[in-house]
Amino acid sequence: MLLRLRSRDGLERIQVDDGSTLGGLKLAIQDKLGVPLEDMLLSKDPQLLTSKEPSTFTDMQGDTASLQQLGVQHGDMVFLLYHFEREVAPAVKKADWQKRPFGAHMDVAALVAAQTRIERQDAPHAASASFDFAAANAFQGYVSSAIAFSIKRGGILYGTVDDEGQVQVHAIYEPPQQGSADSLSLERGTEEEALADFIAARLGWRKVGWIIAQSTKEREFIMSSEEICQMAAVQDEMGEHAVTAVVATWPGEDGQPEVHYEVFQVSDQCVQLWKQGWFQQQEEPGGTSTLRNPQDPKDAAPVIVAGKDVGELDNDYFLVPVAVKDHEGPLENKFPVENRLLPQGLAELKSHLQARRSAPYWARIADFHLLLFLARQPNLSEAEIGLLTDAARDKAAVPEGFQIIIDSMAGL
């Protein structure tokens, strides 16, 4: 069983027997990382690392309990809290950086100006990220069945952020895009995205982040350098609470693929470095990205990381995990999603309306993707789409004239 271990010193991996107990995991951590047993607290909750009352985290207690009983499975993330100072060595030697997989590490010594201090950010701005179950399932289902995680796929998250920083995702808009096993490019700023923004605004929503499905191409790192830069760009565009949802599939203990959802932000410093042009990406797939001081790109002096001069910096150093939740949003997410290989047309509109013929008309059209589909049709103006969206939002009667237009489009 391979587990991912997140602590204040970064992300590490540790292997234990399939039937291991919590005590066995602790011994493995002590042997590999040197953390004393008495100074070790484990939890599946990422808030452990930032809580002022860590003793309240009791989900992983009882050394004789098996990891399976505690709900810990192959590939899971476990959070480790300790207080003593560890000597953390760089992941690889500087001379080996060119041999690492794409995105695994960034060569900092050759790229960042002298005395630049890079600090880890312990707490995310987003207190949590909750996903409408149907929206998340529709995205996951498509990348699982239609494209089988063979290429990367992405989408823009629409929802709300409350005063406590809790993000709620109510819909996932999938723009036109180009994806491969290594790279993903979303087509942004289109008329369709403007319509999605318009509908979201009428619903009281806004952009709250993005989602990315990673391909099954083997990789020994969580996020590539391209993805780190994309995350920084999203947070710069959408605000400090914008999140990145990562959907990936890994082999389970039985060898069968298991789909995992994780949510991250990048640190504020990462966003600033990206804005200032420090990240340099190579165009060739499989290349290694670097950071260079735009004011002095030839300066090879090392940066200071956590008070130490280092020659390399793991991409994971920029990641800040966010707690994941789910909920049932105010609208449906059952209408076929835009810009997929699957059809989305008048026949699908007819089927959708017929399946809800006994419901009030506002409920029949209360679907983000259906409203976006209607907005792209020449029969309805933007103002009329606004009125239809208002009706879906307020659960109000839809004027008969609109019902006749939509039914006529659907051939009802």
Side-chain angles (χ1 to χ4, degrees):
M1 180 188 298
L2 185 64
L3 301 177
R4 293 175 297 156
L5 204 62
R6 166 74 70 178
S7 72
R8 69 184 188 197
D9 290 316
L11 184 71
E12 295 161 291
R13 290 166 176 79
I14 195 156
Q15 192 163 1
V16 295
D17 293 336
D18 290 343
S20 178
T21 63
L22 178 60
L25 173 59
K26 288 182 176 180
L27 288 172
I29 294 172
Q30 179 179 250
D31 291 342
K32 181 176 180 180
L33 307 182
V35 180
L37 293 174
E38 62 273 11
D39 191 25
M40 190 184 303
L41 183 59
L42 296 168
S43 175
K44 295 179 68 179
D45 189 338
Q47 301 303 316
L48 171 69
L49 300 184
T50 57
S51 174
K52 295 181 180 179
E53 298 181 354
S55 60
T56 61
F57 292 80
T58 60
D59 57 310
M60 292 186 67
Q61 290 191 352
D63 288 352
T64 59
S66 69
L67 295 179
Q68 186 176 13
Q69 290 173 326
L70 297 173
V72 178
Q73 300 178 353
H74 175 78
D76 279 358
M77 178 86 78
V78 176
F79 297 87
L80 168 65
L81 179 67
Y82 50 82
H83 300 92
F84 91 112
E85 293 296 326
R86 285 177 57 202
E87 290 291 330
V88 183
V92 294
K93 296 179 180 178
K94 180 177 177 180
D96 295 336
W97 74 271
Q98 292 172 311
K99 304 175 184 178
R100 301 298 294 175
F102 170 71
H105 294 81
M106 289 179 253
D107 178 28
V108 180
L111 20 132
V112 188
Q115 304 307 304
T116 298
R117 184 178 299 275
I118 297 182
E119 301 287 350
R120 183 181 297 281
Q121 182 172 314
D122 292 327
H125 291 289
S128 64
S130 181
F131 289 77
D132 174 88
F133 179 81
N137 191 57
F139 183 83
Q140 172 187 318
Y142 179 71
V143 297
S144 296
S145 59
I147 59 178
F149 286 96
S150 59
I151 59 174
K152 298 170 76 171
R153 179 87 183 165
I156 298 172
L157 309 178
Y158 284 98
T160 60
V161 182
D162 67 16
D163 292 339
E164 297 179 350
Q166 298 180 100
V167 177
Q168 281 205 319
V169 177
H170 299 317
I172 302 173
Y173 163 62
E174 298 179 26
Q177 54 195 273
Q178 295 293 325
S180 68
D182 292 312
S183 186
L184 176 66
S185 175
L186 303 183
E187 188 176 332
R188 301 293 309 280
T190 63
E191 291 184 9
E192 183 181 73
E193 184 176 342
L195 290 172
D197 287 345
F198 172 76
I199 293 169
R202 295 295 282 249
L203 293 168
W205 306 350
R206 64 179 177 87
K207 290 185 173 88
V208 294
W210 77 308
I211 187 169
I212 179 172
Q214 296 174 335
S215 74
T216 53
K217 184 173 181 179
E218 186 175 352
R219 51 197 276 171
E220 296 181 356
F221 48 92
I222 297 177
M223 302 298 286
S224 70
S225 296
E226 177 186 85
E227 292 162 349
I228 290 288
C229 291
Q230 290 170 328
M231 292 174 69
V234 165
Q235 286 176 222
D236 182 52
E237 173 194 348
M238 303 179 192
E240 65 180 12
H241 292 101
V243 298
T244 295
V246 182
V247 185
T249 180
W250 308 321
E253 293 183 2
D254 58 358
Q256 298 301 310
E258 296 179 351
V259 177
H260 294 259
Y261 257 89
E262 292 183 289
V263 178
F264 299 98
Q265 291 189 296
V266 289
S267 65
D268 296 341
Q269 187 178 41
C270 178
V271 176
Q272 290 302 314
L273 291 172
W274 175 81
K275 289 176 65 177
Q276 294 166 8
W278 289 62
F279 285 88
Q280 302 293 319
Q281 289 186 290
Q282 297 181 4
E283 296 181 0
E284 292 298 323
T288 306
S289 66
T290 61
L291 292 172
R292 289 194 185 275
N293 182 350
Q295 304 301 320
D296 190 3
K298 296 182 179 179
D299 191 340
V303 292
I304 298 176
V305 179
K308 302 172 184 177
D309 293 342
V310 298
E312 291 195 349
L313 179 64
D314 198 306
N315 281 351
D316 296 343
Y317 200 89
F318 289 123
L319 294 178
V320 188
V322 178
V324 186
K325 302 179 181 178
D326 61 58
H327 68 276
E328 183 177 353
L331 266 63
E332 275 196 300
N333 283 280
K334 299 293 181 63
F335 192 70
V337 177
E338 57 285 335
N339 302 310
R340 289 182 172 180
L341 299 173
L342 306 178
Q344 186 205 56
L346 298 179
E348 286 69 40
L349 176 63
K350 179 179 181 179
S351 176
H352 182 94
L353 295 174
Q354 285 181 326
R356 294 155 180 80
R357 61 170 61 91
S358 61
Y361 210 86
W362 65 262
R364 299 172 73 186
I365 63 169
D367 186 297
F368 181 82
H369 303 285
L370 185 147
L371 290 169
L372 182 56
F373 172 77
L374 293 177
R376 301 200 311 273
Q377 307 309 308
N379 313 64
L380 295 165
S381 68
E382 184 177 278
E384 291 169 330
I385 291 298
L387 294 175
L388 289 171
T389 304
D390 293 347
R393 178 196 65 209
D394 300 334
K395 301 181 180 180
V398 176
E400 185 176 359
F402 288 148
Q403 297 184 37
I404 292 173
I405 292 174
I406 296 172
D407 286 349
S408 176
M409 291 168 55
L412 294 174

